[in-house]
Amino acid sequence: MSLGKTIKKIREQKGMLQKQVAAELNIGTTNYNKLENGNREPSVKELQQLATLFDLTVDQVLNFEDDMPKEVSLENKTEMEQFKLIQQLEEEDKQTVMKIINTMLTKAKFKDFFNKNIATL
């Protein structure tokens, strides 16, 4: 499925009109229509705006299938994209991820501290 058709499908599933999305992107309805029809590609900024508007990540928009996005992986994502994906988790899952990260960071700091102090003995 083309990106334009994917964007149209998501927009329709969200119950939005083309003119609403065009206004959010700050482009004319004709330009937006060209985007959905595949006559022009969205800019990176527009793609980011669409993802925010649709409450999805850019990755989820690009890999959208049927009613659900494809499996999303943190591999090969920027730190900002990774953080946005984590922020979409349910609160309990988000807290669990943050506890794991905090534990790993604390272990790394203790290991670094230990290695520096042992080296001075």
Side-chain angles (χ1 to χ4, degrees):
M1 181 182 304
S2 73
L3 181 56
K5 287 180 183 179
T6 299
I7 291 168
K8 179 179 181 178
K9 185 174 196 164
I10 297 170
R11 175 186 59 79
E12 289 174 343
Q13 286 182 6
K14 299 286 183 179
M16 301 178 81
L17 300 173
Q18 280 189 344
K19 65 182 180 180
Q20 291 173 298
V21 178
E24 288 291 327
L25 296 179
N26 202 26
I27 62 174
T29 307
T30 303
N31 249 346
Y32 181 76
N33 188 293
K34 288 178 183 179
L35 192 149
E36 281 193 1
N37 289 327
N39 295 324
R40 86 170 188 80
E41 293 293 320
S43 68
V44 172
K45 181 181 177 184
E46 289 169 340
L47 193 53
Q48 290 170 329
Q49 290 172 312
L50 285 166
T52 300
L53 180 64
F54 296 150
D55 197 29
L56 297 169
T57 64
V58 171
D59 189 57
Q60 289 172 318
V61 172
L62 294 173
N63 295 299
F64 199 82
E65 271 188 4
D66 301 320
D67 293 337
M68 299 293 289
K70 288 182 191 174
E71 180 180 321
V72 177
S73 169
L74 290 179
E75 285 184 41
N76 302 322
K77 303 282 187 283
T78 66
E79 286 83 4
M80 184 57 86
E81 288 175 314
Q82 291 174 352
F83 186 72
K84 284 182 179 181
L85 288 169
I86 291 169
Q87 289 303 312
Q88 291 179 2
L89 296 173
E90 292 180 18
E91 191 58 37
E92 185 177 338
D93 292 337
K94 195 181 336 177
Q95 288 177 5
T96 301
V97 169
M98 292 308 190
K99 284 179 186 175
I100 292 169
I101 292 171
N102 285 336
T103 299
M104 294 176 94
L105 290 171
T106 300
K107 284 174 80 174
K109 286 193 182 263
F110 273 119
K111 185 177 180 181
D112 185 49
F113 174 79
F114 183 75
N115 287 336
K116 284 180 183 176
N117 286 314
I118 291 297
T120 61
L121 294 177

